[in-house]
Amino acid sequence: MSMGGHIAVRAATELRFELAAVFYPGWLLNSGFPLVGPVPPLETSERIAASGAFLLGFRGELDHIIPAEEWQQAEQRLTEAGVPHELVTYPGARHGFACADRPVDYDPQAGADAWKKVYAALASHL
């Protein structure tokens, strides 16, 4: 879901969404991946704020794609742009923690909690 999460955040900068729920979205603040494009999605986070979308994001503490520093910078950037959001980090969880098909990374407790938060966000934002 990392690339899917990235695409969802990118789409929220261009399209009107009520809610973007993203699991371990990579490459939000840097263009170190070829599909990111010349401008990382959070460089234009004011567009997300303008659309009124709520951004709900999840990462594992041990995620190798999204370091803690980048997640903190994403939090700061979203706050500065006025994007309503919640960014959640699951202690001890890895990248892919919500995917049962990834037995090394799967964390059933973290995954269940994340999905619970997604369902609650859907109920309140849609």
Side-chain angles (χ1 to χ4, degrees), residues 1-10 12 19-26 28 54-59 66 71 78 86-88 97 114 118:
M1 289 191 215
S2 50
M3 191 59 185
H6 170 85
I7 291 169
V9 174
R10 167 76 66 207
L19 169 69
V22 296
F23 286 75
Y24 21 91
L28 298 177
F54 182 83
L55 181 68
L56 176 60
F58 306 103
R59 78 175 272 279
I66 313 152
W71 201 237
L78 291 167
E86 180 182 2
L87 298 184
V88 180
F97 69 84
V118 169

Side-chain angles (χ1 to χ4, degrees), residues 100-124:
D101 292 335
R102 298 175 73 159
V104 172
D105 296 335
Y106 184 53
D107 183 325
Q109 290 178 317
D113 184 72
W115 281 111
K116 181 179 169 185
K117 289 180 186 306
V118 169
Y119 298 140
L122 285 168
S124 65

Side-chain angles (χ1 to χ4, degrees), residues 3 6 10 27-41 43:
M3 191 59 185
H6 170 85
R10 167 76 66 207
W27 316 284
L28 298 177
L29 294 163
N30 63 56
S31 52
F33 190 73
L35 296 177
V36 171
V39 179
E43 287 291 319

Side-chain angles (χ1 to χ4, degrees), residues 28-97:
L28 298 177
L29 294 163
N30 63 56
S31 52
F33 190 73
L35 296 177
V36 171
V39 179
L42 290 188
E43 287 291 319
T44 56
S45 55
E46 63 279 348
R47 292 181 184 177
I48 301 171
S51 77
F54 182 83
L55 181 68
L56 176 60
F58 306 103
R59 78 175 272 279
E61 175 187 29
L62 306 176
D63 195 309
H64 65 285
I65 300 291
I66 313 152
E69 182 180 323
E70 184 176 335
W71 201 237
Q72 291 165 352
Q73 290 170 347
E75 172 83 37
Q76 181 179 357
R77 180 70 180 111
L78 291 167
T79 299
E80 288 171 357
V83 176
H85 66 280
E86 180 182 2
L87 298 184
V88 180
T89 297
Y90 290 99
R94 300 174 175 273
H95 186 84
F97 69 84

